[in-house]
Amino acid sequence: MSNNRGRHQQQPRNFLIHAKSDGSRHYYEHDDRGSDRNGGGSGNPGGKGGYRNAYHGGGKFRGGGGRGGRSNWDDERGSRYPDGHWRGGGGNSSGGSGYAGGGRRGGRDGSGRGHRGPQYKNNDVEMSGSNKNRYQDMYKHQGRRRDRGPRPPNMNNSLGWHKIIIREASDLNQQEVLEAIRELVREPFIPILYGLEGRSLVFYLEDNGSACQAITEISRRITMPSGQRLSIYSNRSPPPNRHLTPPERNHVTQIMSHRYSVELKRLDLKNFHNDPTLVKEGIFCPLYRLPNMQIIMDIVVSNVPSVEEIDLSYNKLHTLEQLDRLASACSSLVRLSLKKNKLVNEMSLDKLNGLGIVELTLEGNPVCDKFRDSETYISAVRKRCPKVMFLDGQDLPKPIGFEVDDEVSTLPTSIPQYYVQSSAKDLISVFLQQYYQIFDSNNRKPLEAAYTQHALFSLTCNFPETGPGAKYTGIYASENRNLRRVRCNDRRNKLMVQGRPAIASVISSLPHTTHDAASFTVDVSVVEAQLMVAVVGGVFRQVADHSPPIRFFSRSLTIVPEGTGFCIANEQLYITSATVDQIKRAFKEPAIAPVATSPTAAVESPTSDTNAARLKQEMIVKFTEASGMLPQYSELCLEGSGWDYQKAAEMFTKLKAENKIPPEYFPQNTSP
Amino acid sequence: MAAETDRTSLTAACTAAETFTKLYYEFVDKMRHKLSKLYLENGKLVWNGNAVDGNNNIQKFYEDLPPSVHILNCLDSQPVREEAVGKQSTIQVTTAGFVTLKDRKYPFHQSFLITAKEDKWKVVSDVFRFQSTPS
């Protein structure tokens, strides 16, 4: 790299950067590891300019290709580290990543510095012992530490592949060497593809930065029986890629058969490539390599097609390619675990299409975090595997599918009245009639007697807060005890009306009404000695000067015997706007209250009001006839024109010509 | 005559109602096979005037309905007075909202009478009505 040349001059001979034919670079071990870190990644500030010149820190690795590039083979890592971290380029054969410097430090730390101060003091470092090293020694802390801030813990380096290289070890006994290393190194590790490479013994470590670090640290501390000191260093490395030879394939088949339980019909492929036997045999068969997965699937399909459970967890799978063969070949498969793999997007699940599995484990895959909520997650899974009932160990709600026949799901017809006991019918009818007679009159006080002494009454309503539907709803809104809106306990309690006087008072304050008894639905679901439960619903008109709105109500009553009659102990009144349907049908038959004059109803209304009201009524009738609209809409129109008949008529004609009058304003030909 | 209903009962009724309705509508919409557990053995459902007796029959009735999605707009609850139920803890819960059945949205209101049986709330009576009989 050209930008390194200048710096090279300052390096002791040990800092040799070789570009290997595969593009990776080997950085020979030496204690100034920090410097490469500085350089590592783009945008290394390197603190002082001088420092940068002094150490081939900075630019050295900056130019190093592939910096910040993502490793193809390890998506997760690529995304994990910030751009510019030399690690980003690391592991890229395209990227030139010989960061052996990381070796002693066990890989890189986040900022690419990762050196350990104290360690340098007593390192058995493979140094040429030149002053320059000490110089670098002195400075390595300052530059780096200062400008990069606190070092991330070395754990960050723990993932990815490292290659451990033991130099000049071709004459040594491999097992002895391995044992010697194991003795000194506390961290457990699995040496993958341990063998001779040129004059060095090499093996690979997967996701074990701490072991890598530990192993390289003991370099030069091991002396073999022959007197040779082991010189160990490490690189970042792409995962080794070896094709399985036919004899290796046989081994794999054998191992798989050991991992298959005949009684449970279960194939355990968990963390397959680290299977101890495979490692021992020096066979590296990671399932995330597609050719290997294909081989495995070949074996499964031809040997155990009746398998019921497969465990594919911890295999770093980023695709489920090849698993689609299971759908056709292994129809008995009911349980599948894909736990802790590297599936990133929903599309990867498509390979599971058609699998009849009932139990699936997907947790530990990045894809799981991609879903907005568990519902979307579950339905995404079920889209491919509709029979899944257990996902990640959780019982799923039974899928409500669309396999239902049309005939099955017709709704039962509604029946307007229900009485669990027919005797209740008469009772309730009389009760309601009396009640509404008073309710629809001008004086509701007598209703007090309809309640028990400490009866409870509460009102809920559902109206829009603004707009035409909100008209005249203020009274209801102020008493609204809708628990979904009223969250404060104090207010909830306050809105509960207790006792006769209070109830009578609240009821009296509600707007005047006219109820349409013909619209009533009555359900008496419980009749017992001490109580009756009745739910009454229907339509009423709220008396108002202008366009009285039609409302819908539902009262839930708990009624108890009292004296010779009955009283309400609990009442919940719900009020909302009537539907268009209901408005159309309302009051087709003469309404009860205003027309029927009962001797007890003492109506005192000032004559002027009555006159005005009568006049308006006449106007409405005339307008209705002329326009053909339903009375309430004629009323609306008249009211909108300030009860100026002429004006209203003109307005109507104009709107009708423009087709702006909604059809429901007119009586329909087919009345429901 | 019995005394006024105290605040504790009022608050308890509210809490119970909130918890109950959350469960109930979740079950009705997604897990109908769990509904029978919410009703008394001899519980009663009156669905738009159609009566169903017994918790298992009620569950079956719901299971036969098309898939539903309930949206709750209104909720209210009261502890049922002593003069009606004596010391037996009972609450009256009313709800209202919209339910989508077979791609049609119906405004509905529902009234429950729920009683405590061995520390569990169970539905004694469930009255469900569409606000308007669909034409």
Side-chain angles (χ1 to χ4, degrees):
Chain A
M1 313 304 281
S2 49
N3 53 351
N4 291 330
R5 258 174 239 134
R7 303 209 177 82
H8 273 256
Q9 261 124 46
Q10 303 190 303
Q11 302 169 26
R13 277 194 311 282
N14 287 16
F15 290 91
L16 290 175
I17 294 148
H18 293 268
K20 293 179 93 181
S21 54
D22 66 346
S24 65
R25 299 196 295 167
H26 262 165
Y27 175 40
Y28 282 9
E29 228 268 4
H30 130 89
D31 73 315
D32 185 287
R33 260 165 298 282
S35 56
D36 61 310
R37 295 276 165 49
N38 294 331
S42 43
N44 164 46
K48 312 187 201 187
Y51 157 74
R52 205 191 293 235
N53 290 334
Y55 311 105
H56 43 274
K60 174 164 70 176
F61 291 88
R62 196 197 304 263
R67 187 65 19 86
R70 297 281 190 252
S71 316
N72 314 345
W73 49 270
D74 197 338
D75 293 342
E76 180 197 6
R77 264 181 281 157
S79 57
R80 208 181 262 252
Y81 297 87
D83 261 336
H85 190 300
W86 58 268
R87 190 178 174 299
N92 243 345
S93 30
S94 61
S97 49
Y99 305 120
R104 182 156 301 216
R105 237 155 302 177
R108 310 165 270 201
D109 61 13
S111 66
R113 302 268 165 66
H115 62 269
R116 304 228 211 121
Q119 280 191 320
Y120 288 94
K121 309 270 178 2
N122 50 8
N123 274 348
D124 280 347
V125 157
E126 182 190 346
M127 303 212 309
S128 62
S130 83
N131 285 344
K132 291 224 180 91
N133 286 348
R134 273 203 291 275
Y135 177 61
Q136 280 153 354
D137 227 296
M138 268 174 358
Y139 278 82
K140 73 174 137 277
H141 298 263
Q142 289 178 5
R144 275 184 298 279
R145 284 271 186 96
R146 200 184 337 128
D147 45 280
R148 288 290 177 135
R151 270 188 322 227
N154 281 332
M155 274 311 133
N156 279 346
N157 298 323
S158 64
L159 297 175
W161 288 84
H162 291 97
K163 185 175 182 178
I164 303 286
I165 300 149
I166 307 159
R167 290 172 69 210
E168 304 296 325
S170 41
D171 316 324
L172 298 174
N173 179 314
Q174 295 187 11
Q175 275 314 108
E176 268 185 25
V177 169
L178 196 57
E179 271 159 32
I181 296 177
R182 281 206 202 268
E183 238 172 274
L184 276 188
V185 169
R186 236 181 325 141
E187 280 84 346
F189 63 92
I190 301 172
I192 301 213
L193 290 176
Y194 181 39
L196 215 47
E197 197 180 275
R199 290 167 63 88
S200 310
L201 269 180
V202 303
F203 62 86
Y204 292 85
L205 290 177
E206 182 187 16
D207 293 347
N208 204 343
S210 46
C212 178
Q213 182 172 348
I215 292 174
T216 44
E217 261 163 35
I218 58 159
S219 175
R220 309 282 304 167
R221 293 203 204 150
I222 302 180
T223 311
M224 299 308 292
S226 61
Q228 175 183 347
R229 268 206 192 184
L230 285 184
S231 145
I232 309 174
Y233 65 98
S234 75
N235 292 336
R236 276 282 173 179
S237 153
N241 190 0
R242 305 272 188 279
H243 286 286
L244 287 186
T245 62
E248 283 175 340
R249 261 189 229 213
N250 284 337
H251 265 121
V252 166
T253 315
Q254 252 183 345
I255 286 160
M256 277 175 69
S257 76
H258 288 142
R259 295 180 82 139
Y260 180 71
S261 152
V262 179
E263 313 88 60
L264 297 177
K265 296 220 164 138
R266 180 177 187 274
L267 178 60
D268 178 2
L269 293 174
K270 179 171 172 173
N271 198 5
F272 190 65
H273 56 281
N274 281 327
D275 178 284
T277 322
L278 281 179
V279 171
K280 203 156 134 250
E281 303 280 343
I283 301 175
F284 181 56
C285 179
L287 293 183
Y288 54 80
R289 283 271 157 85
L290 227 46
N292 293 333
M293 181 59 98
Q294 184 170 12
I295 291 169
I296 298 296
M297 282 298 131
D298 282 344
I299 297 172
V300 169
V301 163
S302 42
N303 289 298
V304 285
S306 56
V307 62
E308 286 177 13
E309 179 175 348
I310 300 183
D311 184 354
L312 277 167
S313 56
Y314 293 89
N315 274 304
K316 294 188 170 178
L317 299 176
H318 49 84
T319 169
L320 296 178
E321 192 77 42
Q322 290 292 317
L323 282 186
D324 48 355
R325 292 162 67 182
L326 293 173
S328 44
C330 300
S331 48
S332 317
L333 188 65
V334 281
R335 282 180 292 278
L336 179 63
S337 174
L338 293 168
K339 185 171 164 177
K340 289 277 185 188
N341 278 299
K342 301 252 179 93
L343 300 169
V344 243
N345 57 35
E346 202 186 325
M347 280 199 318
S348 50
L349 299 179
D350 285 343
K351 291 289 168 188
L352 297 177
N353 251 333
L355 267 187
I357 47 173
V358 172
E359 202 172 308
L360 174 66
T361 312
L362 261 187
E363 62 179 295
N365 281 287
V367 66
C368 298
D369 297 327
K370 295 269 173 73
F371 294 99
R372 234 181 320 136
D373 50 37
S374 59
E375 248 186 51
T376 6
Y377 177 43
I378 294 172
S379 69
V381 167
R382 281 204 165 137
K383 193 168 139 198
R384 283 96 179 171
C385 305
K387 298 199 190 153
V388 169
M389 291 297 293
F390 295 95
L391 181 59
D392 295 342
Q394 304 270 10
D395 213 325
L396 291 188
K398 221 160 98 169
I400 299 192
F402 295 100
E403 307 120 25
V404 182
D405 294 344
D406 275 15
E407 310 105 58
V408 179
S409 34
T410 36
L411 297 174
T413 20
S414 297
I415 304 169
Q417 304 200 348
Y418 171 76
Y419 299 92
V420 62
Q421 263 184 40
S422 44
S423 57
K425 185 167 176 180
D426 296 325
L427 220 139
I428 292 287
S429 305
V430 172
F431 183 88
L432 289 177
Q433 202 195 21
Q434 288 176 341
Y435 189 96
Y436 280 102
Q437 216 160 44
I438 306 176
F439 198 91
D440 284 345
S441 75
N442 278 2
N443 181 15
R444 292 181 179 145
K445 195 126 189 340
L447 284 179
E448 198 174 317
Y451 293 87
T452 61
Q453 189 184 359
H454 294 291
L456 293 176
F457 172 92
S458 59
L459 184 150
T460 49
C461 65
N462 190 15
F463 291 112
E465 270 162 43
T466 51
K471 235 166 144 198
Y472 305 127
T473 59
I475 283 280
Y476 301 123
S478 61
E479 293 291 329
N480 187 3
R481 194 175 179 262
N482 182 358
L483 297 179
R484 288 175 80 80
R485 296 270 183 91
V486 179
R487 316 296 286 168
C488 159
N489 269 333
D490 270 345
R491 189 149 165 74
R492 287 175 172 183
N493 290 342
K494 203 157 157 281
L495 288 170
M496 180 65 75
V497 190
Q498 289 210 45
R500 284 195 184 123
I503 295 179
S505 160
V506 167
I507 291 188
S508 299
S509 71
L510 295 178
H512 288 194
T513 57
T514 308
H515 284 75
D516 180 4
S519 69
F520 280 13
T521 58
V522 181
D523 292 299
V524 179
S525 57
V526 177
V527 171
E528 276 169 31
Q530 266 312 100
L531 88 153
M532 216 168 13
V533 173
V535 180
V536 183
V539 169
F540 68 92
R541 180 188 291 134
Q542 184 175 326
V543 170
D545 280 340
H546 310 295
S547 55
I550 311 268
R551 309 277 192 217
F552 172 80
F553 77 93
S554 167
R555 295 181 110 94
S556 301
L557 304 167
T558 300
I559 300 174
V560 295
E562 185 145 317
T564 51
F566 293 87
C567 277
I568 301 172
N570 288 78
E571 173 171 338
Q572 289 173 303
L573 178 59
Y574 166 69
I575 303 188
T576 186
S577 308
T579 62
V580 172
D581 226 53
Q582 287 175 311
I583 295 175
K584 265 193 280 187
R585 288 177 283 150
F587 299 104
K588 281 295 182 344
E589 314 192 359
I592 309 180
V595 181
T597 43
S598 59
T600 49
V603 179
E604 297 118 18
S605 33
T607 36
S608 56
D609 274 6
T610 335
N611 274 343
R614 203 174 293 138
L615 222 63
K616 286 184 183 167
Q617 272 306 113
E618 281 170 9
M619 257 203 253
I620 294 172
V621 170
K622 227 171 119 191
F623 200 99
T624 307
E625 233 173 3
S627 66
M629 284 201 297
L630 288 168
Q632 53 261 45
Y633 299 104
S634 302
E635 192 172 9
L636 207 63
C637 191
L638 281 167
E639 192 226 346
S641 308
W643 294 99
D644 178 340
Y645 193 99
Q646 199 51 39
K647 200 164 160 211
E650 277 165 19
M651 174 68 74
F652 171 80
T653 322
K654 178 167 174 284
L655 288 176
K656 182 126 191 275
E658 292 172 21
N659 247 330
K660 287 206 178 133
I661 306 192
E664 56 261 25
Y665 279 26
F666 296 89
Q668 301 299 306
N669 288 337
T670 48
S671 38
Chain B
M1 255 270 209
E4 254 202 10
T5 314
D6 59 34
R7 286 177 67 102
T8 329
S9 314
L10 292 180
T11 318
C14 292
T15 325
E18 283 167 325
T19 321
F20 172 79
T21 47
K22 188 160 175 283
L23 269 182
Y24 175 85
Y25 288 105
E26 197 178 331
F27 285 4
V28 155
D29 285 342
K30 301 179 196 160
M31 295 182 258
R32 288 182 183 169
H33 58 283
K34 292 194 179 176
L35 274 177
S36 65
K37 297 208 190 98
L38 291 181
Y39 289 80
L40 268 191
E41 246 185 79
N42 56 346
K44 192 175 202 79
L45 163 68
V46 184
W47 196 92
N48 282 313
N50 298 284
V52 185
D53 288 293
N55 60 349
N56 293 323
N57 291 334
I58 294 176
Q59 177 173 307
K60 173 117 196 351
F61 179 89
Y62 274 116
E63 282 173 344
D64 287 343
L65 287 179
S68 62
V69 178
H70 287 80
I71 299 173
L72 218 55
N73 288 331
C74 251
L75 171 66
D76 185 19
S77 92
Q78 293 181 1
V80 178
R81 289 284 314 163
E82 254 185 69
E83 45 267 28
V85 290
K87 292 290 173 196
Q88 171 69 25
S89 283
T90 313
I91 54 175
Q92 188 175 301
V93 178
T94 49
T95 61
F98 286 91
V99 60
T100 309
L101 287 166
K102 281 177 88 179
D103 299 326
R104 261 192 84 167
K105 214 167 172 188
Y106 302 92
F108 77 92
H109 55 277
Q110 196 163 10
S111 188
F112 298 94
L113 195 72
I114 305 174
T115 196
K117 184 175 174 189
E118 292 153 22
D119 287 346
K120 299 267 194 292
W121 290 110
K122 300 270 183 182
V123 176
V124 179
S125 138
D126 171 3
V127 176
F128 178 95
R129 279 267 174 202
F130 290 147
Q131 176 175 327
S132 173
T133 315
S135 42

